[in-house]
Amino acid sequence: MKKKNFLSMLLMASLVLSLSACGSTTKNAEVKTNQAEITTINETETETNIYSMKGEIMLAAAASLEKSFTQKLIPMFNELYPNIKVTGTYDSSGKLQTQIEEGADVDIFFSAAMKQMNALIDKNLMNNSTVVQLLENKIVLIVPKGTEADYTKFEDITKANAIAIGDPESVPAGQYAKESLTNLGLWDQVEAKASLGTNVTEVLNWVAEGSANAGVVYATDAAKMPDKVTVIDAAPSGSVKPVIYPVGMTASSKNVDSAKAFLDFLQMDNAKKVFTDNGFAIAN
């Protein structure tokens, strides 16, 4: 009788342990299921938040970037963020710098040179932690299509009777041109025959229409009018510092989240490809 009681008790204990194990397995399964549901919900909420992010961005960018932004980049950005409105203004970096210094409502500044960006940083007008040296360009000698015969190298700019260059006081392309020509010992000759444009697009148009026999623009600008201008040569290596394009958020931006999203977008591979397709190089 004692033996039977012992066996009964042993069976009951085994049953209790088995039920406890089952309960634990069930609870673990419930926990895993809940975690999976939470993860799915969080991912959905994140996607929804990105898609529904609302705001406005005022972009102030160098004139040489206008084509990249208006034709490709802004439409691409709006596919990702359809509720963020991007308004762009394009001009010489010097003019844009002045506008920001005078209180223009700008969120993103994309300069064609470090000089203007550094000036704004020194005045605490840029959010320095967001500034990225993103692109690189080259300055080139161009002449009207069909007049290439007299030119073979950059230094041949002195052969032209009427020369177009961006104003070195405010136009980065003009600053780079003056730096290169000064180092080559040619600036005085060129300056005597030069018309100074207010931005690089104006210089390009003067050469394209033939009112100037030669001009200095960015390689990316020359690529816009291959049927009207011919690139003769780039500024010799060592005559000019690298043409770096920095971009960053202004310190006064009232649309920080939207501006940050836009800056992140510009550094994505798809956005970089648009720049390289338009003749830029990605800065190292």
Side-chain angles (χ1 to χ4, degrees):
M1 189 71 177
K2 288 182 180 180
K3 187 175 182 180
K4 286 182 180 181
N5 287 339
F6 176 75
L7 289 173
S8 297
M9 291 174 66
L10 187 60
L11 286 171
M12 288 179 68
S14 298
L15 182 59
V16 169
L17 289 172
S18 177
L19 289 171
S20 298
C22 287
S24 176
T25 301
T26 302
K27 287 179 181 178
N28 288 338
E30 288 175 353
V31 169
K32 289 179 180 177
T33 300
N34 289 338
Q35 287 175 340
E37 289 174 352
I38 290 169
T39 300
T40 302
I41 291 170
N42 286 341
E43 289 176 352
T44 303
E45 286 178 349
T46 300
E47 291 174 1
T48 301
N49 289 338
I50 289 174
Y51 188 79
S52 63
M53 183 185 289
K54 296 180 180 180
E56 295 183 5
I57 299 171
M58 174 56 76
L59 165 69
S64 52
L65 293 164
E66 184 172 5
K67 178 183 176 182
S68 297
F69 278 113
T70 57
Q71 294 188 7
K72 290 284 187 179
L73 290 171
I74 291 176
M76 284 170 59
F77 179 75
N78 283 141
E79 288 181 6
L80 295 174
Y81 299 92
N83 297 310
I84 298 179
K85 179 182 178 182
V86 182
T87 301
T89 179
Y90 309 95
D91 210 323
S92 73
S93 299
K95 283 188 177 180
L96 297 175
Q97 173 197 339
T98 299
Q99 290 171 14
I100 293 171
E101 289 172 340
E102 292 177 349
D105 191 13
V106 172
D107 298 295
I108 300 291
F109 177 45
F110 206 150
S111 176
M114 288 303 302
K115 178 181 178 181
Q116 288 74 25
M117 182 65 77
N118 287 335
L120 292 177
I121 290 173
D122 290 344
K123 294 180 179 180
N124 297 317
L125 294 175
M126 294 298 299
N127 185 337
N128 193 23
S129 65
T130 68
V131 176
V132 178
Q133 295 182 23
L134 188 59
L135 304 177
E136 186 171 354
N137 209 339
K138 293 184 181 299
I139 58 167
V140 296
L141 171 64
I142 60 170
V143 298
K145 200 77 173 178
T147 66
E148 303 89 351
D150 293 333
Y151 306 89
T152 58
K153 59 185 185 293
F154 189 82
E155 293 90 326
D156 287 342
I157 189 173
T158 56
K159 295 180 179 180
N161 293 320
I163 300 171
I165 290 179
D167 186 345
E169 293 299 317
S170 60
V171 182
Q175 293 163 5
Y176 288 121
K178 181 178 180 180
E179 178 185 347
S180 177
L181 293 166
T182 298
N183 289 332
L184 294 170
L186 304 175
W187 175 245
D188 289 342
Q189 296 178 59
V190 170
E191 186 181 24
K193 302 185 276 186
S195 295
L196 304 181
T198 58
N199 58 54
V200 73
T201 301
E202 187 172 38
V203 173
L204 176 65
N205 289 334
W206 285 345
V207 177
E209 65 191 22
S211 60
N213 305 125
V216 178
V217 298
Y218 293 121
T220 51
D221 293 294
K224 297 175 185 176
M225 295 187 178
D227 57 330
K228 293 185 177 181
V229 301
T230 297
V231 175
I232 300 300
D233 193 18
S237 177
S239 70
V240 63
K241 59 180 171 289
V243 182
I244 300 297
Y245 281 51
V247 60
M249 188 190 312
T250 63
S252 61
S253 173
K254 300 180 181 66
N255 305 289
V256 174
D257 290 340
S258 298
K260 184 179 185 306
F262 192 70
L263 282 175
D264 290 342
F265 163 74
L266 293 179
Q267 297 172 70
M268 293 171 61
D269 289 341
N270 287 347
K272 288 180 179 179
K273 186 177 186 304
V274 172
F275 288 124
T276 56
D277 286 348
N278 281 285
F280 292 97
I282 303 303
N284 295 324

